[in-house]
Amino acid sequence: MKVSIVGITGYSGLELVKILNNHKKVELVSIHATKEVGRRLSDVYPYLAGVCDLKIEDFDAQEIIEKADLVFFATPSGVASSLAEEFVQADFPIIDLSGDHRLPADVYQEWYKKSPAKKMILNKFTYALSEYTDVKGKKFIANPGCYATATELALIPLVAAGLIETDSIIVDAKSGLTGAGKALSESSHFVNVHDNYMTYKLNHHQHIPEIVQTLQAFDADMPEIQFSTSLLPVNRGIMATVYCKLKKDVAVSDIASAFAKAYDDKPFVRVQENLPELHNVIGSNFTDIGFAYNEKTNVMTVISVIDNLLKGASGQAVQNLNLMQGWDETEGLHMTPSYL
Amino acid sequence: MKVSIVGITGYSGLELVKILNNHKKVELVSIHATKEVGRRLSDVYPYLAGVCDLKIEDFDAQEIIEKADLVFFATPSGVASSLAEEFVQADFPIIDLSGDHRLPADVYQEWYKKSPAKKMILNKFTYALSEYTDVKGKKFIANPGCYATATELALIPLVAAGLIETDSIIVDAKSGLTGAGKALSESSHFVNVHDNYMTYKLNHHQHIPEIVQTLQAFDADMPEIQFSTSLLPVNRGIMATVYCKLKKDVAVSDIASAFAKAYDDKPFVRVQENLPELHNVIGSNFTDIGFAYNEKTNVMTVISVIDNLLKGASGQAVQNLNLMQGWDETEGLHMTPSYL
Amino acid sequence: MKVSIVGITGYSGLELVKILNNHKKVELVSIHATKEVGRRLSDVYPYLAGVCDLKIEDFDAQEIIEKADLVFFATPSGVASSLAEEFVQADFPIIDLSGDHRLPADVYQEWYKKSPAKKMILNKFTYALSEYTDVKGKKFIANPGCYATATELALIPLVAAGLIETDSIIVDAKSGLTGAGKALSESSHFVNVHDNYMTYKLNHHQHIPEIVQTLQAFDADMPEIQFSTSLLPVNRGIMATVYCKLKKDVAVSDIASAFAKAYDDKPFVRVQENLPELHNVIGSNFTDIGFAYNEKTNVMTVISVIDNLLKGASGQAVQNLNLMQGWDETEGLHMTPSYL
Amino acid sequence: MKVSIVGITGYSGLELVKILNNHKKVELVSIHATKEVGRRLSDVYPYLAGVCDLKIEDFDAQEIIEKADLVFFATPSGVASSLAEEFVQADFPIIDLSGDHRLPADVYQEWYKKSPAKKMILNKFTYALSEYTDVKGKKFIANPGCYATATELALIPLVAAGLIETDSIIVDAKSGLTGAGKALSESSHFVNVHDNYMTYKLNHHQHIPEIVQTLQAFDADMPEIQFSTSLLPVNRGIMATVYCKLKKDVAVSDIASAFAKAYDDKPFVRVQENLPELHNVIGSNFTDIGFAYNEKTNVMTVISVIDNLLKGASGQAVQNLNLMQGWDETEGLHMTPSYL
């Protein structure tokens, strides 16, 4: 299968290159960006010398449609919505890693402060959290957000089984800097991040409606959730710390059973006996989940960790591709966590 | 005034040296430890060359009583409880930075898993959160814990004014590595901390009963609180992120008023318009507090940041000394946050 | 004495504020910048709340001349050269922290690629490495560069005493990110610095001619030196590692004597028995110097560490001010290294 | 092919597990250590859940000989020398990642301060820098040290071609903390490493004789070299910065030709146009080399970067295995640098 990547110079585009380089069923045939056009990717990024020596090309939908069988959009929000239409009309498969095709138009506009995609385009897309969405044969995939992935995988088993008081949910999520992308800003300057920890977009992060919408599919009465996001002084990784009260008569063993039932046959979710640490998943497509109950306060703490660029973006995109095609779900994704 | 420090080679002992070096009313006359006895402090720690060239001495209560006017205990928990008695019997002033004299004996034993101090000794000590405790003329001070300081300063104004649902309180606190002390362990090895983030002692941290006990002095019906502690890959700093639901009819302006009333005349607590960042207080004795309300969930988020070694330990100890003596509260504590 | 700072929003301007806040003989009366004009400094930088609440003003030479007794230029290179003339003509004292008045016009132009100051202005300035230059009564001070300070303090005693083969000198210097200033660039983005180490401006760093010029004052035959600069993933600190061959019949004890003679009476240079570590000086105005000889290769390694923003910029600027005025050299500079 | 690993709980043992997990021709059949015996590796290291669930066994040479076809020693220095004999006598293949079989007995004893292996055992081993040693069919491999690998790959082409003044060589090498291993010590405590930079074992690092011995094979007159090692506050990576003077009439193009000739057909050495950065190789088996010449000082600076745990240890060990067996040199080693 031949694929193209649009938005190659962003972090998730670069990670896609690495994954696809070890994927047996996929060949990367073209890479596109608005910057550095005409240069070899390995000249711009010498760490890719010998890994990907393709030249960066301008975006050209027709050329991609002729050359490839599927396109990945690894673009900032607001870009894919304007470029996807031509592919959709040609019935040409898309996996969009951005937030442009995850939400209804009005919700998107409210949270992203950008013009939404057309409704007829949005309707074609399937929001695909790999562990829960059947994408076999689908053509247009909205790949989940990084914070959303970590949080949804932690909460769905509990919400679906009706084990927790949904109005008590509080999520304190933390991310490394790659989550904020490559843009230069005060808040990405080394001196402002190193030896610091800061909370941002409190109550306003654009992944909030995505999480609520997903959970509502499992519990129609699901209310708004309290969700905070902070910047860790590391490059990669998200930890979502979820606090919630158990419903009456729910035992800790019910929680354990719900997680086991949800993930025992899922290759990329590892339910842990102890609380997972961030470095246990970095560099891999794994989600590690652990939990602990406090009898004194009736609060269950669930901790979920992912690599924001892999399970939170490019890894899950390839996992979705594998599932769309009916291939082995793990193909190309055998990266062991770096840990050290 | 002449003072001695017991436990000089620990982090809070070393920070006391730095503070006292610029304190106009205090002279450091002796420093004590069980290791490196006989060596100059500046030979063991070359960064102190020219700052403190005293020799490290064995502990000797009588010698301290003869030589000094007050002793700081900067020892690990379980040490001060066994050494303090001789000073108490001699009515010789103590500021204990450890947890040994903060809690009732049975609570101490349950949470610290160590033998408690004798009750007649414990009864002599005053737990002194500088902004709330009148220590003028007191002789025996139990200096608060680092997590406890950050959390109590965030919560007391709200609890005291009855503005929040106390059974909804969830504290997600994070600390740099100096909070864990100098002991060598897997969890303090550089490779296990760098590029990592981990939650530890969940529901079991020994500062929990200290916080609850302090809050109960402001609201007798205060229940247990949900409290988590995690390790940030930085040397210094604590952020306590406090989530709580507002009582009916409480407005955000009531919260603002409560904080203003509590801290407008306090030199070391700065109520901020925006959410405070960790690096805004590192290297100083300040506590910065900010808050934001979510109308959709009725959750108030309060963020409180301190330098765990200063306001969370040695800085507050000197602040308490100043208040005990009736000196200017800020003497010796004019350190500006390092920020950069 | 009343002083103004031009370039307040840069790192060295901000550090000056912190130092002057604890300086007994100096009052900061105005702060100037091109950005954020009209806002309180503590609104832009909340960490300074209660430390400096002055409003940022536009640059206005006449106003400074009327209001203050001396002006610090903490501006990027190329700015002070164009603004200094008005002060010089008014015989109004300047301490320039930038590189604009350190080099002859032609050398400046070659290395800084900018228009130099006028020669008649340059002639008025004295390059002032505090430990070597007599600035008592001087009015126009060119404060040394950060790399230059660390390197010159390591080499002058050896060059002045003729102990080393000057054509064998190789300096491998490393700096934290604050050395590169606040400008946003790919190379200051957190993700590109963290977990990385890179060499930059190899053979082209603008401090090279400054170092050579200074050393030539002690040895007229001093040739060019090999000098490399790299970025450490830390905020602060420079280590200059100097390699050089000893002249025939020079003993290690001669090296030790040269350093002792040079620095025994200097309060801010500490010659160490062991090799100094970076964190031993961060947060202070100290320079720590240590050395070790290799008999097999006849190479002497000298290591010199400073805080680039203090001894390498704002600290030395205040040290020079103290010396100009005949005050205690250490006034305002009693900061102990943070170490932890 | 079936292999065993002795010393599984050390960093290089753990990295071998990751590499072999993706190696098509090798099956890991047993793992051995002195600690945690009887536990699953993935219970001790949850990041390996689903990657390696073997149980850790006591060391037992006979069992390994029966079960496997080759053994990796990933043990601290001083261990393999005492355990290897039984395998050698059984003519059972060994790849030793430690320093025990790299040096003549007397040199080993002088630099490692430990008892050396027996000479008859030492004589059986081949020191194997993959790019230079023909190991096809060899049975006993001494895998090079991490600093040695980075330095030798930078210097051999220049020394072999007689292009540089060998008595002018100065190597300033820096390593991340994994290079120091898992042992708990003051110097591996997070607080002592973070925001610090320190030089250690100056003139005494045990890789010095290994480097000199290797270079002498290319130039019998090779003298001692000046070599320093410092700790970078990162987990992984070594940069060797090599300074040397060019011989008369040697041009920069001669240097470029020497590198091209040496490495154009080597899959894991990438000669770069610009100076390589540390993060360009982390997570991979690549060595990136770049260089720049200073006409004013006649000094060539060569920079070589590797991942100390991969090309500097476990990666090269598998590369050597591939070469011994006549397999594709890159099998199992297709890891792209993490970069982000």
Side-chain angles (χ1 to χ4, degrees):
Chain A
M1 183 175 199
K2 292 176 177 176
V3 306
S4 297
I5 300 173
V6 178
I8 191 63
T9 59
Y11 291 152
S12 55
L14 290 169
E15 289 294 294
L16 273 174
V17 170
K18 288 174 55 173
I19 297 169
L20 298 177
N21 188 49
N22 284 326
H23 195 293
K24 288 178 204 150
K25 308 214 171 185
V26 172
E27 182 193 357
L28 178 60
V29 294
S30 72
I31 55 179
H32 305 264
T34 52
K35 286 182 242 171
E36 311 282 2
V37 172
R39 296 183 65 194
R40 285 182 193 285
L41 189 63
S42 52
D43 287 341
V44 183
Y45 296 101
Y47 80 96
L48 290 174
V51 175
C52 178
D53 300 312
L54 288 174
K55 280 196 180 161
I56 301 171
E57 302 175 42
D58 261 329
F59 175 77
D60 182 330
Q62 284 313 312
E63 203 192 301
I64 292 172
I65 288 169
E66 280 166 35
K67 211 187 277 190
D69 306 309
L70 179 145
V71 63
F72 289 98
F73 277 100
T75 45
S77 62
V79 175
S81 59
S82 66
L83 302 181
E85 191 167 354
E86 205 165 346
F87 296 94
V88 173
Q89 280 170 350
D91 207 33
F92 185 91
I94 299 175
I95 296 178
D96 178 13
L97 283 74
S98 84
D100 283 7
H101 299 97
R102 297 180 197 149
L103 298 172
D106 55 338
V107 180
Y108 179 88
Q109 193 148 21
E110 179 191 344
W111 289 85
Y112 283 80
K113 316 286 180 206
K114 289 184 176 166
S115 298
K118 291 183 190 166
K119 288 189 189 177
M120 56 150 289
I121 303 291
L122 280 177
N123 290 341
K124 301 263 190 176
F125 274 80
T126 301
Y127 178 82
L129 184 67
S130 304
E131 280 70 21
Y132 288 95
T133 313
D134 182 1
V135 295
K136 186 86 186 287
K138 301 279 186 196
K139 289 205 156 169
F140 305 107
I141 299 292
N143 209 54
C146 50
Y147 281 119
T149 296
T151 305
E152 292 169 9
L153 290 174
L155 275 169
I156 289 174
L158 310 186
V159 168
L163 300 173
I164 60 173
E165 301 287 357
T166 52
D167 64 350
S168 73
I169 296 172
I170 288 178
V171 183
D172 188 295
K174 305 91 178 164
S175 174
L177 256 283
T178 51
K182 285 184 67 176
L184 300 180
S185 71
E186 289 284 320
S187 61
S188 66
H189 190 290
F190 180 82
V191 173
N192 290 333
V193 176
H194 182 71
D195 284 343
N196 195 14
Y197 184 82
M198 60 172 295
T199 300
Y200 68 105
K201 289 194 187 176
L202 181 61
N203 303 327
H204 296 290
H205 197 283
Q206 68 275 13
H207 289 178
I208 293 176
E210 180 181 336
I211 296 166
V212 172
Q213 164 183 283
T214 302
L215 295 177
Q216 283 173 340
F218 296 89
D219 176 354
D221 297 329
M222 183 73 206
E224 292 293 322
I225 61 165
Q226 178 63 30
F227 187 81
S228 74
T229 44
S230 299
L231 278 184
L232 283 167
V234 304
N235 281 358
R236 285 162 170 262
I238 283 179
M239 180 183 284
T241 310
V242 179
Y243 302 96
C244 54
K245 301 215 173 195
L246 296 192
K247 279 193 183 159
K248 224 180 161 181
D249 298 330
V250 170
V252 177
S253 59
D254 298 327
I255 302 292
S257 300
F259 278 120
K261 192 179 150 203
Y263 299 126
D264 271 3
D265 64 341
K266 299 296 179 190
F268 291 119
V269 182
R270 304 187 295 192
V271 180
Q272 300 282 339
E273 282 189 37
N274 298 307
L275 297 179
E277 304 182 18
L278 197 70
H279 66 170
N280 283 358
V281 297
I282 305 304
S284 81
N285 198 49
F286 289 120
T287 303
D288 280 6
I289 294 178
F291 51 90
Y293 180 64
N294 185 345
E295 293 188 358
K296 291 179 181 166
T297 59
N298 186 33
V299 171
M300 175 63 70
T301 304
V302 184
I303 291 183
S304 164
V305 291
I306 62 168
D307 183 315
N308 57 301
L309 293 178
L310 295 170
K311 183 61 184 172
S314 309
Q316 187 162 215
V318 173
Q319 190 182 354
N320 277 329
L321 172 62
N322 291 339
L323 293 167
M324 286 162 74
Q325 302 301 111
W327 300 333
D328 175 356
E329 185 173 355
T330 66
E331 178 52 39
L333 297 169
H334 297 279
M335 306 87 74
T336 305
S338 61
Y339 181 66
L340 297 175
Chain B
M1 183 175 199
K2 292 174 178 174
V3 306
S4 296
I5 300 172
V6 179
I8 192 63
T9 58
Y11 291 152
S12 56
L14 290 169
E15 288 295 295
L16 274 174
V17 169
K18 288 174 54 172
I19 298 170
L20 297 178
N21 187 50
N22 284 328
H23 195 294
K24 286 177 204 151
K25 308 216 171 185
V26 172
E27 182 193 358
L28 179 59
V29 294
S30 72
I31 55 180
H32 305 265
T34 52
K35 286 184 243 170
E36 309 283 1
V37 173
R39 296 182 66 193
R40 285 182 193 286
L41 189 63
S42 52
D43 287 340
V44 183
Y45 296 102
Y47 81 95
L48 290 174
V51 175
C52 177
D53 299 312
L54 287 174
K55 279 194 181 161
I56 300 172
E57 302 174 43
D58 262 329
F59 174 74
D60 182 330
Q62 284 313 312
E63 204 192 300
I64 292 173
I65 288 171
E66 280 165 36
K67 214 187 272 188
D69 305 311
L70 179 145
V71 63
F72 288 98
F73 276 101
T75 45
S77 62
V79 175
S81 60
S82 65
L83 301 180
E85 191 168 354
E86 205 166 344
F87 296 94
V88 173
Q89 279 169 350
D91 208 35
F92 185 91
I94 299 174
I95 296 178
D96 179 13
L97 282 75
S98 85
D100 283 8
H101 299 97
R102 296 180 196 150
L103 298 172
D106 55 337
V107 180
Y108 178 88
Q109 194 148 20
E110 180 190 345
W111 289 83
Y112 283 80
K113 316 285 182 206
K114 289 184 178 169
S115 299
K118 292 184 189 164
K119 288 189 188 177
M120 56 150 288
I121 303 293
L122 282 176
N123 290 341
K124 300 266 190 172
F125 274 81
T126 301
Y127 179 82
L129 185 68
S130 304
E131 280 70 21
Y132 288 95
T133 313
D134 182 0
V135 295
K136 185 86 184 289
K138 300 280 185 196
K139 289 205 154 169
F140 305 106
I141 299 294
N143 209 56
C146 50
Y147 282 119
T149 295
T151 305
E152 294 169 8
L153 290 173
L155 275 169
I156 289 174
L158 310 186
V159 168
L163 301 173
I164 60 174
E165 301 288 357
T166 53
D167 64 351
S168 73
I169 297 172
I170 288 178
V171 183
D172 189 296
K174 305 91 177 164
S175 174
L177 257 281
T178 51
K182 286 184 65 176
L184 301 180
S185 71
E186 289 284 320
S187 62
S188 66
H189 190 291
F190 180 83
V191 173
N192 290 332
V193 176
H194 182 71
D195 284 343
N196 195 14
Y197 184 80
M198 61 173 294
T199 301
Y200 68 105
K201 290 193 186 176
L202 181 62
N203 304 327
H204 296 291
H205 198 283
Q206 67 275 12
H207 289 179
I208 294 176
E210 182 182 333
I211 296 167
V212 172
Q213 165 183 282
T214 301
L215 295 177
Q216 283 174 339
F218 295 89
D219 176 354
D221 297 329
M222 182 73 205
E224 292 294 322
I225 62 166
Q226 179 63 31
F227 186 82
S228 75
T229 44
S230 299
L231 278 184
L232 283 167
V234 304
N235 281 357
R236 286 164 170 260
I238 284 178
M239 179 183 285
T241 309
V242 180
Y243 302 97
C244 53
K245 301 216 174 194
L246 296 192
K247 280 193 182 159
K248 224 179 160 180
D249 298 331
V250 170
V252 177
S253 59
D254 298 326
I255 301 292
S257 300
F259 278 120
K261 192 178 149 204
Y263 299 126
D264 272 2
D265 64 341
K266 300 295 179 190
F268 291 118
V269 182
R270 306 187 294 192
V271 181
Q272 302 281 339
E273 281 188 39
N274 297 308
L275 297 180
E277 302 182 18
L278 197 72
H279 68 168
N280 283 359
V281 296
I282 303 304
S284 81
N285 199 50
F286 289 120
T287 303
D288 280 6
I289 294 176
F291 52 91
Y293 180 65
N294 185 344
E295 292 188 359
K296 290 178 182 166
T297 59
N298 186 34
V299 171
M300 174 64 69
T301 304
V302 184
I303 290 182
S304 164
V305 290
I306 62 168
D307 184 315
N308 57 302
L309 293 178
L310 294 172
K311 183 62 184 174
S314 308
Q316 185 162 216
V318 172
Q319 190 182 353
N320 277 329
L321 172 64
N322 291 339
L323 293 167
M324 284 163 74
Q325 302 300 112
W327 299 333
D328 176 355
E329 187 173 354
T330 66
E331 177 53 39
L333 297 169
H334 297 278
M335 305 87 74
T336 305
S338 59
Y339 182 65
L340 298 174
Chain C
M1 183 175 200
K2 294 175 176 174
V3 306
S4 297
I5 301 173
V6 178
I8 192 63
T9 58
Y11 292 152
S12 55
L14 290 169
E15 288 294 296
L16 273 174
V17 169
K18 287 174 57 173
I19 297 170
L20 297 177
N21 187 49
N22 285 327
H23 194 294
K24 287 177 203 151
K25 308 215 170 184
V26 172
E27 183 193 357
L28 179 59
V29 295
S30 72
I31 56 179
H32 304 265
T34 52
K35 287 183 239 169
E36 310 283 2
V37 172
R39 295 183 66 194
R40 286 183 193 285
L41 189 64
S42 52
D43 287 340
V44 183
Y45 297 101
Y47 80 97
L48 289 174
V51 175
C52 177
D53 299 314
L54 288 174
K55 280 196 180 160
I56 299 171
E57 302 175 42
D58 262 330
F59 175 75
D60 182 331
Q62 283 313 312
E63 204 192 301
I64 292 172
I65 288 170
E66 279 166 35
K67 212 188 275 189
D69 306 309
L70 179 144
V71 63
F72 288 98
F73 276 101
T75 45
S77 62
V79 175
S81 60
S82 66
L83 302 180
E85 189 167 356
E86 204 166 345
F87 296 94
V88 172
Q89 280 169 352
D91 207 33
F92 184 91
I94 300 173
I95 297 178
D96 178 12
L97 282 75
S98 84
D100 283 7
H101 299 96
R102 297 180 197 150
L103 298 172
D106 54 338
V107 180
Y108 178 88
Q109 194 149 18
E110 179 190 345
W111 289 84
Y112 283 80
K113 315 285 181 205
K114 289 183 178 169
S115 298
K118 291 185 190 164
K119 288 190 188 177
M120 57 150 287
I121 304 292
L122 281 176
N123 291 340
K124 300 263 190 174
F125 274 80
T126 302
Y127 179 82
L129 184 67
S130 304
E131 280 69 21
Y132 287 96
T133 314
D134 182 2
V135 295
K136 186 88 186 287
K138 300 280 184 194
K139 288 205 156 170
F140 305 107
I141 299 293
N143 210 55
C146 50
Y147 281 119
T149 296
T151 306
E152 293 169 9
L153 290 173
L155 275 169
I156 290 175
L158 311 186
V159 168
L163 300 173
I164 60 175
E165 300 288 356
T166 53
D167 64 351
S168 73
I169 296 172
I170 288 178
V171 183
D172 187 294
K174 305 93 176 166
S175 174
L177 256 283
T178 52
K182 286 185 66 177
L184 301 180
S185 71
E186 288 285 320
S187 62
S188 67
H189 190 290
F190 180 82
V191 174
N192 290 333
V193 176
H194 182 70
D195 284 343
N196 195 14
Y197 183 82
M198 61 173 293
T199 300
Y200 67 106
K201 290 194 187 176
L202 181 61
N203 303 327
H204 297 290
H205 197 284
Q206 68 274 14
H207 289 179
I208 294 175
E210 181 182 335
I211 296 167
V212 172
Q213 164 183 281
T214 302
L215 295 177
Q216 283 172 340
F218 295 89
D219 176 354
D221 297 329
M222 183 73 206
E224 292 294 323
I225 61 166
Q226 179 63 30
F227 186 81
S228 74
T229 46
S230 299
L231 278 184
L232 282 167
V234 304
N235 281 358
R236 286 164 171 260
I238 284 178
M239 181 183 284
T241 309
V242 180
Y243 302 96
C244 53
K245 302 216 173 195
L246 296 193
K247 280 193 183 157
K248 223 179 162 181
D249 298 329
V250 170
V252 177
S253 59
D254 298 325
I255 302 292
S257 299
F259 278 120
K261 191 178 151 203
Y263 299 126
D264 272 2
D265 64 340
K266 300 295 179 189
F268 290 118
V269 182
R270 303 187 296 192
V271 179
Q272 302 281 339
E273 281 189 38
N274 298 306
L275 296 180
E277 304 182 18
L278 198 70
H279 68 168
N280 283 359
V281 296
I282 304 304
S284 81
N285 198 50
F286 289 119
T287 304
D288 280 6
I289 294 177
F291 51 91
Y293 180 65
N294 186 343
E295 291 188 0
K296 291 178 183 168
T297 59
N298 185 34
V299 172
M300 174 65 67
T301 304
V302 184
I303 291 182
S304 164
V305 291
I306 62 168
D307 183 316
N308 57 302
L309 293 178
L310 294 171
K311 183 61 185 173
S314 308
Q316 186 162 216
V318 173
Q319 189 182 354
N320 277 329
L321 172 63
N322 291 338
L323 293 167
M324 284 162 74
Q325 302 301 112
W327 300 334
D328 175 355
E329 185 172 355
T330 66
E331 178 52 39
L333 297 170
H334 297 278
M335 304 90 73
T336 306
S338 60
Y339 181 65
L340 298 173
Chain D
M1 182 174 200
K2 292 177 178 174
V3 306
S4 297
I5 300 173
V6 178
I8 191 64
T9 58
Y11 291 151
S12 55
L14 290 168
E15 289 295 294
L16 273 174
V17 169
K18 288 175 55 174
I19 298 169
L20 297 178
N21 187 50
N22 284 329
H23 195 294
K24 286 177 204 152
K25 308 216 170 185
V26 172
E27 181 192 358
L28 178 59
V29 294
S30 72
I31 55 179
H32 304 265
T34 52
K35 287 184 240 170
E36 310 282 1
V37 172
R39 297 183 64 193
R40 285 182 194 285
L41 189 64
S42 52
D43 287 340
V44 183
Y45 296 102
Y47 80 96
L48 290 174
V51 176
C52 178
D53 299 313
L54 288 175
K55 278 195 182 162
I56 300 171
E57 302 174 43
D58 262 330
F59 174 76
D60 182 331
Q62 283 313 313
E63 205 193 300
I64 292 173
I65 288 171
E66 280 164 35
K67 213 187 273 187
D69 305 311
L70 178 145
V71 63
F72 289 99
F73 276 101
T75 45
S77 62
V79 174
S81 58
S82 65
L83 302 180
E85 190 167 355
E86 206 166 344
F87 296 94
V88 173
Q89 279 169 351
D91 207 35
F92 185 91
I94 299 174
I95 296 178
D96 178 13
L97 283 75
S98 83
D100 283 8
H101 299 96
R102 297 180 196 148
L103 298 172
D106 55 337
V107 180
Y108 179 87
Q109 193 149 20
E110 179 190 344
W111 289 85
Y112 283 79
K113 316 285 181 205
K114 288 182 179 171
S115 298
K118 291 184 191 164
K119 288 189 187 177
M120 56 152 287
I121 303 293
L122 281 175
N123 290 341
K124 301 264 190 175
F125 274 81
T126 301
Y127 179 83
L129 185 66
S130 305
E131 280 69 21
Y132 288 96
T133 313
D134 182 1
V135 295
K136 186 88 183 288
K138 299 280 184 195
K139 288 205 156 170
F140 305 107
I141 298 292
N143 209 55
C146 50
Y147 281 119
T149 296
T151 306
E152 293 169 10
L153 290 173
L155 275 169
I156 289 174
L158 310 186
V159 168
L163 300 173
I164 60 174
E165 301 287 357
T166 52
D167 64 350
S168 74
I169 297 172
I170 288 178
V171 183
D172 188 294
K174 306 91 177 166
S175 174
L177 257 282
T178 51
K182 285 184 66 175
L184 301 179
S185 70
E186 289 285 320
S187 62
S188 66
H189 189 291
F190 180 82
V191 173
N192 290 332
V193 176
H194 182 71
D195 284 342
N196 196 16
Y197 184 80
M198 60 173 293
T199 300
Y200 68 106
K201 290 193 187 176
L202 181 62
N203 303 328
H204 296 290
H205 197 284
Q206 67 275 13
H207 289 178
I208 294 176
E210 181 181 336
I211 297 166
V212 172
Q213 165 184 282
T214 302
L215 295 177
Q216 282 173 342
F218 295 90
D219 176 353
D221 297 329
M222 183 72 204
E224 293 293 322
I225 62 166
Q226 179 62 32
F227 186 80
S228 75
T229 45
S230 298
L231 279 183
L232 282 167
V234 304
N235 281 357
R236 285 162 172 263
I238 283 178
M239 180 182 284
T241 310
V242 180
Y243 302 97
C244 53
K245 301 217 173 194
L246 296 192
K247 279 193 184 158
K248 224 179 161 180
D249 297 330
V250 170
V252 177
S253 60
D254 298 325
I255 302 292
S257 301
F259 279 120
K261 191 180 150 204
Y263 299 125
D264 271 2
D265 63 343
K266 301 294 178 189
F268 291 118
V269 182
R270 305 187 294 193
V271 180
Q272 301 282 338
E273 281 189 39
N274 297 308
L275 297 180
E277 303 182 18
L278 198 69
H279 66 169
N280 283 359
V281 296
I282 304 303
S284 81
N285 198 50
F286 289 120
T287 303
D288 279 7
I289 294 176
F291 51 92
Y293 180 65
N294 186 343
E295 293 188 358
K296 291 179 182 166
T297 60
N298 186 34
V299 171
M300 175 63 70
T301 303
V302 183
I303 291 182
S304 164
V305 291
I306 62 168
D307 184 316
N308 56 302
L309 294 178
L310 294 171
K311 183 62 184 174
S314 308
Q316 186 162 218
V318 173
Q319 190 181 353
N320 277 329
L321 171 64
N322 292 338
L323 293 168
M324 285 163 73
Q325 302 299 113
W327 300 333
D328 176 354
E329 185 173 355
T330 67
E331 178 52 39
L333 297 170
H334 297 278
M335 305 88 75
T336 305
S338 60
Y339 181 66
L340 298 173

